[in-house]
Amino acid sequence: MQPQENTGHPRRWIILGVLVVSLLVVVLDNTVLNVALRTLADPVHGLGASQGELEWSINSYTLVFAGLLFTAGVLGDRYGRKRFLTIGLALFGLASLLSAYAQSADQLIWARALMGVGGAAIMPVTLSIISNVFDPRERGKAIAIWSGSVGIAIAIGPILGGLLLENFWWGSVFLINVPVVAAGLVLVTMLVPESRDPKPGRIDVIGVLLSVVGLVALSYGIIDGGEHGFGRPVVWASIVGGLAVLGAFIAYERRVEFPSLDVRLFKVPRFAAPVALIGLVFFAALGVFFFSAFYLQLVRGYSPLETGLLLLPFAVAQMAFAPRSAAMVKKYGGKAVSTVGLVLTAVGMSGFIFLGVDTPVWVILALFFIQGVGMANLMPPAMESIMSSLPREKAGVGSAVANTVRQVGGALGVAVLGSVLASVYRGEVDSAAATLPAPARDAVEESISGAYGVADRLGPAGGGVIDAANNAFVTAMHWTAGIGTLVTAFGVLMVLKWMPGKAAAHQVEPTPATAPELAEVS
């Protein structure tokens, strides 16, 4: 019989609410940005950002966030989690203010990178604080609520972004963060207790620098190649150099005493398979979401608010099915639930292969809903498999790895699939743009947003340019959706081979053969 005394903090549920708000502002930012992409590409009402600059406005945040996640967690444990949460919120608020008043796409990209620093400081310490203030009997429920708040951000992000863009200038989608952060700072100061690790490990400075440099170089090469072509030496130098640096990072992490990412964890199939699965799914999903905003707002002509409402079925599916996924895992096992989730996700993505310029809107809504249901049934079994493969005291390691891989997978998804989209679009629209003057031809070939800008200046004669750009973009979208579907389908094979079934899913400790390998993980 469990003892009745609860060892948690007396204000633990209020503290959880404060932490959820802190997490919401981080997740909300990217979902709000998705519906603002068309506006940012507009040279009159936005910044005139190119396709590559739009991708970097997303990836500068995501790559910095992912690269610093482990370091932020170590620093928070060493110097105080409440202190680091406060610093992260302050940086995030300042960077949001700078983003709102950016005068160029380059300024926005750098401000977004600073937001990534703040976001990296916020996310890992929120989980550490939850573990510190909650009794072990309530900790699982608290972490589930923390995870479920992501679904809330996905739900309100596009709608909030659409409402702001309908009534205010594009910078409002960033400025809205400032009062939320200010309220969060006050609440954290008043309510959250300070805590720190009495025996923190050393900071892996070299490992962190290698991971950031490698990821940025790789992503830069992919984005630049997609925007300007892959035939230039600088593109392949960046891609190959990035891969080489990441290879050096892996080699270094295998030898260092206090690694930021202990690569030996990936020798455990029940850990490695779901981590890879999370990376693959977010690679495909965020790449699809990137082009869907342009399809809805340009090809279909929906406003930012209407686009947000069209994305709502995905968010509703997440909110409705994600809380029930854990019960499904207990009943049927992680392998079965993950397989069904991946199949539904692949079906939702594959539907984009058949969309045209005049597909009924209910088909789009159904595809977003199916994809949402599928992804809602992926994270809980994946996280359960990750956590069950580690000793309980190493649960933070599993969470940090999963979050980092999710962010990196999403960033590379936008980079790779965005590059495929740009390359196919350019090839398809080339013949239609050949008769235009050089400046107009370059704008049409650069992106569909540029084509719409040229068409506006041509007046009635611009109708042919719009038709050619729409058809080229839809063809490029089909190719991109096909690749995303194949990546997701590959995840099904991984699940069937390596994910634990119903019996294995209930093991909460690693096998004796695995435990010694993980004993030194820090």
Side-chain angles (χ1 to χ4, degrees), residues 75 86 176 189 389 426 452:
L75 291 174
T86 303
I176 192 67
T189 303
S389 65
R426 188 163 44 245
Y452 270 70

Side-chain angles (χ1 to χ4, degrees), residues 9-32:
H9 194 281
R11 296 194 303 265
R12 59 193 177 279
W13 294 109
I14 299 176
I15 293 170
L16 176 62
V18 175
L19 298 177
V20 164
V21 170
S22 302
L23 177 68
L24 277 177
V25 75
V26 175
V27 179
L28 187 67
D29 180 72
N30 270 341
T31 56
V32 168

Side-chain angles (χ1 to χ4, degrees), residues 120-441:
I122 293 169
M123 180 169 279
V125 295
T126 55
L127 272 178
S128 298
I129 293 170
I130 287 174
S131 297
N132 185 67
V133 301
F134 275 90
D135 185 281
R137 293 166 295 179
E138 296 177 327
R139 195 173 297 152
K141 182 180 179 181
I143 292 176
I145 294 173
W146 179 91
S147 301
S149 63
V150 175
I152 298 174
I154 293 173
I156 65 177
I159 298 174
L160 177 61
L163 284 170
L164 291 170
L165 291 171
E166 292 264 320
N167 297 282
F168 305 100
W169 99 112
W170 63 266
S172 61
V173 301
F174 299 109
L175 199 61
I176 192 67
N177 294 334
V178 177
V180 179
V181 166
L185 283 169
V186 172
L187 293 172
V188 168
T189 303
M190 293 174 58
L191 298 173
V192 177
E194 184 60 281
S195 63
R196 54 175 53 87
D197 186 347
K199 297 180 180 179
R202 288 189 220 134
I203 301 172
D204 178 20
V205 176
I206 295 177
V208 168
L209 291 176
L210 287 173
S211 65
V212 172
V213 171
L215 287 170
V216 170
L218 176 62
S219 187
Y220 175 82
I222 293 171
I223 292 173
D224 194 57
E227 186 177 6
H228 301 294
F230 285 91
R232 296 176 304 128
V234 65
V235 171
W236 287 106
S238 181
I239 292 174
V240 174
L243 291 173
V245 173
L246 290 175
F249 165 73
I250 293 172
Y252 179 79
E253 295 299 284
R254 294 182 65 179
R255 297 194 305 269
V256 68
E257 184 179 0
F258 297 102
S260 58
L261 173 60
D262 194 320
V263 295
R264 292 172 298 174
L265 290 170
F266 292 95
K267 295 180 180 179
V268 184
R270 288 192 294 125
F271 177 90
V275 166
L277 173 63
I278 290 171
L280 287 175
V281 169
F282 276 85
F283 173 95
L286 292 194
V288 170
F289 269 107
F290 180 78
F291 70 67
S292 66
F294 289 94
Y295 170 74
L296 293 173
Q297 293 188 51
L298 289 172
V299 177
R300 301 307 298 267
Y302 293 112
S303 69
L305 177 57
E306 290 169 335
T307 299
L309 292 173
L310 287 171
L311 294 173
L312 191 57
F314 176 88
V316 169
Q318 287 273 309
M319 295 176 66
F321 288 90
R324 295 172 173 79
S325 181
M328 298 295 287
V329 170
K330 288 183 179 179
K331 187 173 183 180
Y332 299 107
K335 177 177 287 190
V337 175
S338 297
T339 301
V340 172
L342 279 169
V343 169
L344 288 174
T345 303
V347 169
M349 289 183 183
S350 65
F352 282 91
I353 299 173
F354 305 100
L355 294 184
V357 296
D358 55 0
T359 301
V361 69
W362 69 264
V363 176
I364 302 171
L365 295 172
L367 291 177
F368 279 130
F369 183 78
I370 292 170
Q371 190 174 343
V373 174
M375 293 190 66
N377 285 284
L378 289 176
M379 287 300 291
M383 290 304 297
E384 180 171 341
S385 180
I386 290 170
M387 296 307 177
S388 68
S389 65
L390 295 169
R392 288 172 183 162
E393 63 272 17
K394 302 301 179 186
V397 174
S399 176
V401 170
N403 279 317
T404 300
V405 170
R406 182 180 67 184
Q407 294 294 330
V408 173
L412 293 181
V414 172
V416 173
L417 297 184
S419 298
V420 171
L421 183 78
S423 297
V424 176
Y425 167 82
R426 188 163 44 245
E428 291 290 321
V429 83
D430 183 64
S431 59
T435 59
L436 297 172
R441 182 175 64 249

Side-chain angles (χ1 to χ4, degrees), residues 73-87:
V74 171
L75 291 174
D77 287 342
R78 178 184 293 270
Y79 298 113
R81 294 161 185 141
K82 175 181 177 177
R83 177 182 299 174
F84 224 65
L85 178 58
T86 303
I87 293 172

Side-chain angles (χ1 to χ4, degrees), residues 67-110:
L68 296 180
L69 191 62
F70 283 99
T71 303
V74 171
L75 291 174
D77 287 342
R78 178 184 293 270
Y79 298 113
R81 294 161 185 141
K82 175 181 177 177
R83 177 182 299 174
F84 224 65
L85 178 58
T86 303
I87 293 172
L89 284 170
L91 281 176
F92 198 90
L94 173 62
S96 297
L97 193 62
L98 294 174
S99 297
Y101 292 100
Q103 300 299 306
S104 67
D106 287 341
Q107 289 181 15
L108 177 62
I109 289 168
W110 284 106

